[in-house]
Amino acid sequence: MNVVDLPTPEFTKTKPLPQERWLKTKAAIGWLLGDGRRATNGADFIEGLCAHARATGLPVERAAIAIRLLHSEYAGLGFHWQLGQQATVNPYAYTPGPSPAYDNSPYKAAHDTGEWVMLWLADTPDDAYGIVPELKAGGYTHYICIPFSSRFGLSNGLTLATRDPGGFSDDDLMVIAMLAPAVAAAAEILSLDRMLDDLLRIYLGDEPHRRVLEGNVHRGEVTRVRAAILFADMRHFTTLSLDMSAEAVTGLLNRYYDCVVPAVEERGGEILKFIGDGVLAMFPAEEGASDDACQAAYAAAKDVQKRAARIGGEAEPGFSVGVALHFGRVAYGNVGSGHRLDFTMIGRDVNAASRIASLCGELQRKILMSKDFAGRLKDDPTRYLGAYPLRGIPGLQEIHEVACGPDPCVPPA
């Protein structure tokens, strides 16, 4: 089903609208394909839609638009409006397998048949759909669910309801039929904008995704950011995963990532890369705030270890984590060839953090840090462990650890 091919009840095509109402409907369509098409917020969009729909004489008092998303945590978004109330945007959580709420909704019936679902609520049993009791309790008399799909086949939809004793008239249905394709087109643009933003953030990270959307998409472009760098590495991953199935390895990695990602993000850090069992993260340092960035990174490193002690022991195989901390510059750069590029993190300081993480295993320590990082960690005294060679980095590098008791510090592995 294409946006321009939306199904409409046959009887809505049998007589023309009165001239004045046709002109108001045309103005509403103009808004949908103009300012409405450029809306970036679902609440603003549905409020504008309903205001223009009511201006045509449509007695709509409740409306919702549901759009599907490509997101790691959400299946879609719902834009909800009721007369006299502020519009809201509500996410629909993604769950594997069947969704009882969707399966018992008019949306599913509309998507399955490709037809409008129209309910005269006085004649509709309460168990026909999950929403029917709520609509009846709200005093609604007539409800319509209209399906439409995106160019990628994602199922979206529009619902309208009224408390008018006569429901939506034949002229009202004609107005709705005229508005529906424009609603579908504008909602698809809103959906695609959201999916583009979400997908880039999911796969690149917050700061890199903003850089890409700002136009940093050409090979060789580099942006530098001063930051505290955190590199986490699962200990003995190769040995642990040697005889595991792909599904078991995926489960192991996800448990490990559940130790690192929340610990970083809850303290304002950003995950830049998953590199096998390595995780590269940064805590950007605003001018004059280098110490704060390092303190946040160290707090995240301690939290990683606490989570690893708990999550790593919940199922077999267990695991431990080495965390390296460094302060320097993170360079964002586009590398690749032709139209296949990778927006990646490069530079000496990224390499140094990775090498220090490898040193955690050699020195049997859970958290190690460079001299540059240790010198900025004002709230926790550090101690010098020695100067060590780091592969690919000239000279010997001074390595430190926090020098205090086991709480809140992390003891050797």
Side-chain angles (χ1 to χ4, degrees):
M1 188 197 328
N2 295 319
V3 163
V4 295
D5 244 352
L6 289 174
T8 58
E10 285 300 319
F11 65 85
T12 66
K13 304 173 184 178
T14 60
K15 68 172 187 174
L17 283 173
Q19 179 73 5
E20 182 179 356
R21 198 164 190 197
W22 183 86
L23 291 173
K24 291 179 178 178
T25 303
K26 183 179 177 182
I29 293 171
W31 179 85
L32 282 165
L33 298 179
D35 289 344
R37 179 176 57 85
R38 291 185 287 271
T40 58
N41 179 282
D44 293 342
F45 175 72
I46 198 167
E47 284 186 349
L49 163 63
C50 292
H52 284 82
R54 287 181 61 82
T56 71
L58 195 68
V60 60
E61 296 172 88
R62 172 183 172 133
I65 292 175
I67 61 173
R68 292 291 301 274
L69 295 179
L70 297 177
H71 193 280
S72 58
E73 295 178 306
Y74 305 123
L77 286 178
F79 312 144
H80 300 274
W81 173 88
Q82 292 187 60
L83 185 63
Q85 298 184 23
Q86 189 172 2
T88 61
V89 177
N90 302 309
Y92 303 134
Y94 167 78
T95 54
S99 169
Y102 172 74
D103 291 343
N104 193 30
S105 74
Y107 282 118
K108 185 176 190 303
H111 293 147
D112 286 348
T113 63
E115 303 293 336
W116 293 22
V117 173
M118 294 198 291
L119 305 177
W120 284 99
L121 291 160
D123 302 328
T124 304
D126 284 0
D127 60 358
Y129 300 103
I131 198 173
V132 170
E134 179 185 335
L135 292 169
K136 288 182 177 181
Y140 295 98
T141 58
H142 200 184
Y143 170 92
I144 299 173
C145 179
I146 302 171
F148 46 85
S149 62
S150 74
R151 72 188 72 178
F152 302 114
L154 298 178
S155 298
N156 303 323
L158 165 70
T159 69
L160 303 167
T162 182
R163 295 186 179 97
D164 191 297
F168 293 113
S169 68
D170 285 358
D171 280 356
D172 292 335
L173 294 175
M174 178 64 79
V175 170
I176 294 170
M178 294 173 67
L179 294 177
V183 174
E188 178 172 1
I189 291 172
L190 192 61
S191 173
L192 291 176
D193 284 349
R194 175 64 185 258
M195 285 193 290
L196 174 63
D197 189 80
D198 285 342
L199 287 172
L200 286 175
R201 182 183 293 108
I202 288 167
Y203 285 100
L204 294 181
D206 197 46
E207 180 66 21
H209 117 277
R210 281 198 297 267
R211 303 273 180 188
V212 168
L213 290 177
E214 288 169 359
N216 192 341
V217 295
H218 303 104
R219 189 171 74 160
E221 292 180 339
V222 174
T223 302
R224 293 176 176 82
V225 178
R226 295 175 70 253
I229 304 166
L230 181 152
F231 196 103
D233 186 45
M234 187 192 299
R235 304 284 290 278
H236 312 301
F237 172 71
T238 301
T239 302
L240 287 172
S241 61
L242 193 60
D243 296 320
M244 297 172 64
S245 67
E247 292 79 8
V249 172
T250 299
L252 172 64
L253 283 172
N254 284 335
R255 286 195 294 131
Y256 158 62
Y257 294 145
D258 283 342
C259 298
V260 182
V261 175
V264 169
E265 292 184 340
E266 288 172 9
R267 290 161 181 81
E270 182 173 347
I271 302 296
L272 301 178
K273 280 285 183 182
F274 295 113
I275 311 167
D277 63 308
V279 181
L280 174 63
M282 74 167 184
F283 295 75
E286 301 294 336
E287 191 65 35
S290 301
D291 295 355
D292 293 339
C294 290
Q295 201 64 48
Y298 177 60
K302 289 192 294 182
D303 194 14
V304 167
Q305 297 300 343
K306 290 178 182 177
R307 292 171 186 262
R310 183 180 73 253
I311 297 176
E314 287 178 348
E316 290 295 333
F319 60 85
S320 61
V321 183
V323 180
L325 299 168
H326 180 50
F327 187 87
R329 287 187 177 273
V330 173
Y332 299 93
N334 285 300
V335 298
S337 179
H339 64 271
R340 182 60 182 92
L341 301 180
D342 184 20
F343 197 80
T344 192
M345 313 306 140
I346 56 177
R348 179 186 184 279
D349 291 315
V350 173
N351 295 336
S354 172
R355 302 296 183 255
I356 295 171
S358 299
L359 198 61
C360 287
E362 296 178 29
L363 300 182
Q364 292 295 293
R365 293 295 194 276
K366 292 187 175 181
I367 300 176
L368 292 177
M369 60 194 68
S370 68
K371 177 183 178 181
D372 290 332
F373 186 97
R376 292 176 169 85
L377 198 60
K378 303 302 183 185
D379 295 341
D380 297 89
T382 62
R383 66 183 175 197
Y384 173 65
L385 290 180
Y388 296 87
L390 301 181
R391 182 167 56 86
I393 298 176
L396 298 178
Q397 307 300 315
E398 295 186 11
I399 302 300
H400 297 249
E401 67 176 352
V402 168
C404 54
D407 187 19
C409 301
V410 179

